[in-house]
């Protein structure tokens, strides 16, 4: 453990898929981890050598800050409970399921004097950070057109993902990463236009579905985001292409890097919304280290609560565009607070 994180005790709330990666990351950082979850806490604790908290209140009483990795619909309620207990919060994306909810938790955190950081881990993936740095340094001139894509085996065949009131659907759950990237790399957004096929009907997401969102940025740049929940076994892939007045940046996760992946164990079967393994340090570990150091008074991290709220706002605007069939003007769009 680094000196900056010595003696750290973290409260991990939730024990689903992403909890495993967070648990491994906290382990790698040398933190003591207490876990609380309605289901699966004991199994997670046994697998990673964590301690099980008897209750949410019991966890909150003992930890320095919390890391919330529960299903999306519970983020707001649990974040508010942690804030009420005076605890700083790291929360998996999306911060909440509506922009109104995001601003509610941000306001509560500010009023309580605690900090709140959303876990938008793609900002910590090397290719995306390299693109951000290159754009900031002016290496491709003024950004004109950008494309982002993200696909995975659909999680909507089982569990809570098909219920849009609980997951937000493919845009809020999966594309929210690239909506954040589009804003990070291309600047603030002025209009949003979205389509999805097949459509969501009566609040139930299709199992296999593709969504396309076009963003016009205040700079004049245009970006396009595509997110796909594919058939079982669909390989997790992401990528981007950003064209500017003086150059182009390209990345594809399935590109030939010249390195043979040695760590894949074949157990994921392509059914998780996360890469099976990565070359180099885990972006999840890098993310949690940066956020934890910030919570201990270190430098401000590269992602703030306001960024999490902005990504949710764009996803909500995309849903409104799909419903109306019209572009949404972000200067006049207001979060209704309705999830579906």
């Amino acid at each position: 453990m680094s000196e900056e994180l010595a003696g750290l005790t973290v409260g991990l709330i939730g024990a689903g898929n992403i909890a495993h990666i967070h648990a491994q990351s906290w382990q790698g950082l040398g933190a003591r981890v207490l876990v609380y979850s309605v289901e699966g806490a004991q199994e997670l604790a046994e697998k990673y050598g964590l301690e099980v908290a008897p209750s949410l209140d019991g966890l909150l009483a003992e930890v320095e800050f919390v890391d919330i990795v529960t299903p999306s619909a519970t983020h707001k309620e649990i974040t508010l409970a942690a804030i009420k207990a005076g605890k700083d919060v790291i929360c998996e994306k999306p911060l909440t399921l509506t922009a109104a909810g995001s601003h509610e938790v941000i306001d509560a955190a500010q009023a309580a004097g605690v900090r709140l950081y959303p876990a938008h881990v793609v900002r910590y993936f090397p290719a995306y950070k390299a693109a951000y740095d290159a754009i900031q340094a002016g290496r491709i001139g003024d950004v004109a057109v950008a494309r982002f894509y993200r696909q995975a085996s659909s999680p909507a065949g089982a569990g809570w993902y098909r219920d849009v009131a609980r997951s937000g659907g493919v845009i809020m759950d999966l594309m929210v990463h690239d909506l954040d990237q589009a804003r990070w790399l291309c600047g603030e957004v002025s209009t949003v236009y979205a389509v999805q096929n097949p459509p969501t009907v009566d609040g139930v997401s299709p199992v296999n579905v593709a969504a396309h969102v076009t963003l016009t940025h205040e700079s004049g740049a245009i970006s396009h985001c595509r997110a796909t929940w594919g058939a079982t076994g669909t390989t997790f892939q992401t990528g981007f292409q950003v064209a500017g007045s003086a150059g182009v940046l390209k990345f594809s996760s399935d590109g030939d890097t010249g390195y043979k992946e040695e760590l894949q164990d074949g157990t994921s079967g392509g059914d998780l919304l996360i890469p099976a393994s990565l070359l180099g340090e885990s972006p999840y570990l890098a993310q949690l280290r940066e956020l934890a150091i910030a919570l201990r008074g270190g430098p401000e991290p590269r992602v703030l609560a306001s960024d999490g709220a902005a990504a949710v706002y764009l996803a909500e605007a995309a849903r409104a565009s799909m419903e109306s069939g019209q572009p949404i003007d972000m200067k006049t769009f207001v979060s209704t607070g309705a999830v579906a």
Side-chain angles (χ1 to χ4, degrees):
M1 176 184 285
S2 66
E3 287 184 18
E4 298 149 303
L5 298 180
L8 178 61
T9 298
V10 177
L12 185 65
I13 304 173
N17 283 338
I18 199 68
H20 290 260
I21 292 181
H22 281 241
Q24 291 174 42
S25 298
W26 288 122
Q27 241 184 352
L29 294 171
R32 175 189 174 217
V33 180
L34 273 66
V35 60
Y36 172 76
S37 179
V38 174
E39 297 177 0
Q42 190 64 47
E43 293 83 353
L44 190 75
E46 289 175 1
K47 185 169 184 177
Y48 299 105
L50 316 181
E51 300 172 41
V52 177
S55 65
L56 179 58
D57 287 343
L59 178 143
L60 292 172
E62 197 168 344
V63 302
E64 188 171 323
F65 58 78
V66 301
D67 179 14
I68 299 171
V69 292
T70 55
S72 302
T74 66
H75 288 180
K76 180 178 139 180
E77 176 187 356
I78 296 171
T79 297
L80 289 174
I83 290 169
K84 187 176 180 181
K87 300 298 177 181
D88 295 323
V89 176
I90 296 170
C91 183
E92 255 301 336
K93 63 79 204 165
L95 183 56
T96 65
L97 284 179
T98 68
S102 292
H103 289 296
E104 183 180 342
V105 297
I106 289 171
D107 289 346
Q110 289 176 339
V114 302
R115 284 157 297 185
L116 169 62
Y117 296 137
H120 274 274
V121 72
V122 177
R123 292 194 182 205
Y124 295 83
F125 276 69
Y128 291 84
K129 179 59 163 62
Y132 174 80
D133 289 343
I135 290 167
Q136 293 300 304
R139 286 180 55 197
I140 64 167
D142 296 328
V143 175
V145 178
R147 294 182 182 275
F148 303 88
Y149 70 87
R150 189 164 299 266
Q151 69 176 45
S153 177
S154 178
W160 49 272
Y161 290 92
R162 291 198 75 187
D163 183 352
V164 174
R166 297 176 69 194
S167 73
V170 68
I171 291 177
M172 188 69 76
D173 188 75
L174 184 60
M175 189 191 286
V176 72
H177 285 299
D178 287 327
L179 294 175
D180 176 61
Q181 285 301 306
R183 179 175 164 267
W184 199 39
L185 299 182
C186 306
E188 297 297 340
V189 176
S190 54
T191 65
V192 175
Y193 179 71
V195 294
Q196 176 185 298
N197 188 44
T200 295
V201 178
D202 295 332
V204 178
S205 171
V207 172
N208 300 330
V209 60
H212 298 259
V213 176
T214 301
L215 309 173
T216 303
H217 298 264
E218 291 179 0
S219 64
I222 296 174
S223 61
H224 175 264
C225 299
R226 169 172 61 85
T228 307
W229 278 346
T232 299
T234 297
T235 305
F236 185 99
Q237 290 181 12
T238 72
F240 61 79
Q241 178 172 313
V242 184
S245 55
V248 179
L249 301 167
K250 295 181 181 180
F251 167 72
S252 175
S253 65
D254 65 341
D256 183 2
T257 64
Y259 289 90
K260 180 175 174 62
E261 178 56 77
E262 298 175 307
L263 301 178
Q264 298 215 17
D265 60 12
T267 58
S268 70
D271 290 336
L272 294 179
L273 296 180
I274 46 180
S277 58
L278 299 151
L279 297 167
E281 180 179 78
S282 162
Y284 294 90
L285 187 148
Q287 168 189 242
L288 294 177
R289 179 199 293 117
E290 183 173 297
L291 297 180
I293 288 173
L295 290 176
R296 283 198 156 187
E300 197 167 59
R302 72 193 69 171
V303 60
L304 304 174
S306 56
D307 298 312
V312 170
Y313 193 45
L314 292 173
E316 198 172 350
R319 184 165 56 241
S321 175
M322 287 191 297
E323 290 171 356
S324 69
Q326 299 296 317
I328 299 297
D329 183 346
M330 298 306 292
K331 289 187 175 64
T332 58
F333 178 64
V334 177
S335 173
T336 64
V339 174

